């Protein structure tokens, strides 16, 4: 699934008061009240946000429920009860069953105005959970949310697909940072040699360390060329091609470079 392409929102009206939402590849589904609105979440293809209708039916962002899959390490850091208490929040925890799975509900904030509730639902992969985060305060709307969550079903066969995409996203971010950091290290090399000659085959310096990391993480899907006055390095990351060169350019490109400069993102037929 291309992270840059919005996922198709799939809903099916089940009766006059409920609508069934199905995640883009079928990872999970649930029935939600027909007066809620739904959109793709901002955290990726497999994230969804519901606007839980309030009594005023405001057009503002309003009370939100967001559902996505996250790494348990991130969840344990962000929703650690002791850490939240040290920040001055009131915190409560309880057990709750969602999708037939024993789950955890953690509520924290400064009531009555500011409360966040996180529902953490374990999956068949011990490293990842589905998490539903709500900013709803109204007890009646909280009850609506929990009723909707209890209709959730999870397709375990889709979990490896989402995990691979999440891992690719992390690898992409790490490799982009490494590529970007090669620009100053290439200039350090040039300042010491007064030339880019030998840059791509160098060893023991900062540039070589970064280049070797990129080759390792991309299964050698990286290319580096240099002359005395120019260099370029491009790599095929999980989602796109990225490139850096001696002009200071860093960004997404259409393919590997063929000279000592990064190619354009779009080519003219």
């Amino acid at each position: 699934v291309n992270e840059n392409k919005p996922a198709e929102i799939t809903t099916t009206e089940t009766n006059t008061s409920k609508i069934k939402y199905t995640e883009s590849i079928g990872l999970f589904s649930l029935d939600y009240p027909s007066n809620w609105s739904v959109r793709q979440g901002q955290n990726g293809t497999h994230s969804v946000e519901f606007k839980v209708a309030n009594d005023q039916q405001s057009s503002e962002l309003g009370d939100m429920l967001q559902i996505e899959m996250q790494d348990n390490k991130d969840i344990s850091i962000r929703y650690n009860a002791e850490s939240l208490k040290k920040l001055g929040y009131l915190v409560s925890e309880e057990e709750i069953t969602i999708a037939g799975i024993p789950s955890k509900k953690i509520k924290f904030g400064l009531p009555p105005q500011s409360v966040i509730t996180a529902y953490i639902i374990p999956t068949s992969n011990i490293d990842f959970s589905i998490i539903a985060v709500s900013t709803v305060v109204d007890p009646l709307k909280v009850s609506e949310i929990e009723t909707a969550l209890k209709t959730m079903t999870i397709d375990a066969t889709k979990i490896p697909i989402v995990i691979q995409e999440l891992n690719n996203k992390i690898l992409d971010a790490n490799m982009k940072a490494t590529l970007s950091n090669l620009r100053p290290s290439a200039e350090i090399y040039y300042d010491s040699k007064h030339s880019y000659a030998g840059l791509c085959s160098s060893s023991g310096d900062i540039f070589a360390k970064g280049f070797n990391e990129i080759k390792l993480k991309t299964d050698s899907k990286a290319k580096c060329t240099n002359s005395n006055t120019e260099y370029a390095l491009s790599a095929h990351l999980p989602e796109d091609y990225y490139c850096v060169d001696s002009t200071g350019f860093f960004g997404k490109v259409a393919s590997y470079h063929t000279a000592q400069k990064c190619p354009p993102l779009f080519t003219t037929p």
Side-chain angles (χ1 to χ4, degrees):
V1 178
N2 188 335
E3 289 289 339
N4 297 319
K5 180 181 178 181
E8 181 179 350
I9 300 297
T10 304
T11 60
T12 305
E13 190 165 351
T14 56
N15 54 48
T16 55
S17 61
K18 300 289 184 182
I19 297 174
K20 179 176 288 293
Y21 167 81
T22 302
E23 188 274 331
S24 60
I25 65 167
L27 173 64
F28 61 85
S29 63
L30 77 164
D31 298 335
Y32 67 92
S34 58
N35 62 342
W36 291 11
S37 58
V38 59
R39 67 183 184 189
Q40 183 181 332
Q42 299 179 7
N43 292 339
T45 304
H46 305 291
S47 171
V48 62
E49 293 178 358
F50 295 95
K51 180 180 180 294
V52 181
N54 53 35
D55 293 337
Q56 291 76 33
Q57 295 292 296
S58 168
S59 61
E60 300 296 323
L61 190 61
D63 293 325
M64 301 298 296
L65 172 67
Q66 178 172 296
I67 307 175
E68 62 186 344
M69 195 158 76
Q70 289 185 11
D71 189 310
N72 284 333
K73 292 179 182 178
D74 294 335
I75 293 173
S76 64
I77 293 171
R78 189 172 301 173
Y79 301 103
N80 180 276
E82 294 306 314
S83 298
L84 292 169
K85 289 175 183 177
K86 289 178 181 178
L87 293 173
Y89 294 122
L90 297 177
V91 181
S92 66
E93 295 181 274
E94 63 179 274
E95 302 299 319
I96 186 171
T97 299
I98 299 175
I101 301 169
S103 307
K104 179 186 287 188
K105 171 184 174 182
I106 180 166
K107 183 164 66 174
F108 63 95
L110 300 172
Q113 298 301 320
S114 176
V115 176
I116 293 175
T117 306
Y119 303 87
I120 303 168
I121 311 158
T123 69
S124 55
N125 185 296
I126 61 173
D127 295 323
F128 289 85
S129 294
I130 291 175
I131 182 166
V133 179
S134 162
T135 58
V136 174
V137 176
D138 180 354
L140 292 177
K141 298 302 178 185
V142 170
S143 178
E144 279 190 3
I145 285 173
E146 294 190 357
T147 297
L149 289 176
K150 288 177 181 179
T151 69
M152 181 183 287
T153 59
I154 299 171
D155 185 345
T157 65
K158 302 299 193 299
I159 292 173
I161 299 172
V162 180
I163 290 174
Q164 184 61 55
E165 291 183 13
L166 291 173
N167 288 338
N168 285 347
K169 187 175 180 180
I170 293 170
L171 177 61
D172 254 23
N174 290 341
M175 290 299 94
K176 288 173 190 175
T178 301
L179 274 168
S180 180
N181 289 335
L182 286 177
R183 291 176 295 174
S185 59
E187 297 314 305
I188 292 173
Y189 180 95
Y190 183 89
D191 288 343
S192 66
K193 307 282 188 180
H194 304 293
S195 171
Y196 291 117
L199 175 67
C200 295
S201 57
S202 64
S203 61
D205 54 53
I206 299 174
F207 184 93
K209 181 179 179 181
F211 184 29
N212 287 335
E213 180 182 351
I214 290 168
K215 288 190 291 184
L216 178 64
K217 295 290 180 63
T218 62
D219 194 24
S220 295
K221 295 175 182 176
K223 176 181 179 181
C224 182
T225 59
N226 64 261
S227 66
N228 289 340
T229 57
E230 296 177 310
Y231 82 89
L233 191 156
S234 53
H236 189 189
L237 306 188
E239 300 298 332
D240 294 291
Y241 291 91
Y242 274 78
C243 185
V244 295
D245 65 23
S246 46
T247 68
F249 174 85
F250 163 67
K252 184 163 66 171
V253 292
S255 63
Y256 292 114
H257 68 279
T258 55
Q260 272 69 252
K261 289 183 180 178
C262 294
L265 178 55
F266 301 106
T267 56
T268 303

